[in-house]
């Protein structure tokens, strides 16, 4: 069984920084892609950043130049470094991963979410 466990959310003032982590565990054969999504109250869940197995990254326009996604393949962990945070970044952040487990078909997995609140 595969699980994603997030950490690093919290309350920060505008202009501040936070670093989110997401570790995948379980019977993992291969991780194809990992990423972060966010959902603000009353809004849909949107992609923030994504990194695939060869290191290629994709960012939402609203976070380009401020957020950086990285990945430690040895630890099955993805990070999101968030700089110059704005009140508009306030949301629940969810980790997402495209994983092929050892004994079951490839699937898409979600973490439980971590709250990020940016005060003005």
């Amino acid at each position: 069984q595969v699980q994603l466990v997030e950490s690093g959310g919290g309350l920060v003032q505008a202009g501040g920084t936070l670093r989110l982590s997401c570790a995948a565990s379980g019977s993992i054969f291969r991780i194809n892609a990992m990423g972060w999504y966010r959902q603000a109250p009353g809004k849909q869940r949107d992609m923030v950043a994504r990194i695939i197995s060869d290191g290629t990254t994709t960012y939402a326009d609203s976070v380009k130049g401020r957020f950086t996604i990285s990945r430690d393949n040895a630890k099955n962990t993805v990070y999101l470094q968030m700089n110059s945070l704005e009140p508009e970044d306030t949301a629940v952040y969810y980790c997402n991963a495209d994983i092929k487990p050892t004994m079951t078909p490839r699937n898409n997995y979600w973490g439980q979410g971590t709250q990020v609140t940016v005060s003005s």
Side-chain angles (χ1 to χ4, degrees), residues 63-102:
V63 307
K64 284 180 180 177
R66 300 188 298 122
F67 291 10
T68 302
I69 190 169
S70 61
R71 179 172 167 176
D72 185 332
N73 291 329
K75 296 181 178 180
N76 289 337
T77 299
V78 65
Y79 305 95
L80 186 67
Q81 178 66 41
M82 304 187 292
N83 299 332
S84 302
L85 282 161
E86 304 168 352
E88 294 74 22
D89 296 316
T90 296
V92 177
Y93 284 69
Y94 295 92
C95 178
N96 174 268
D98 176 354
I99 295 174
K100 170 64 180 75
T102 305

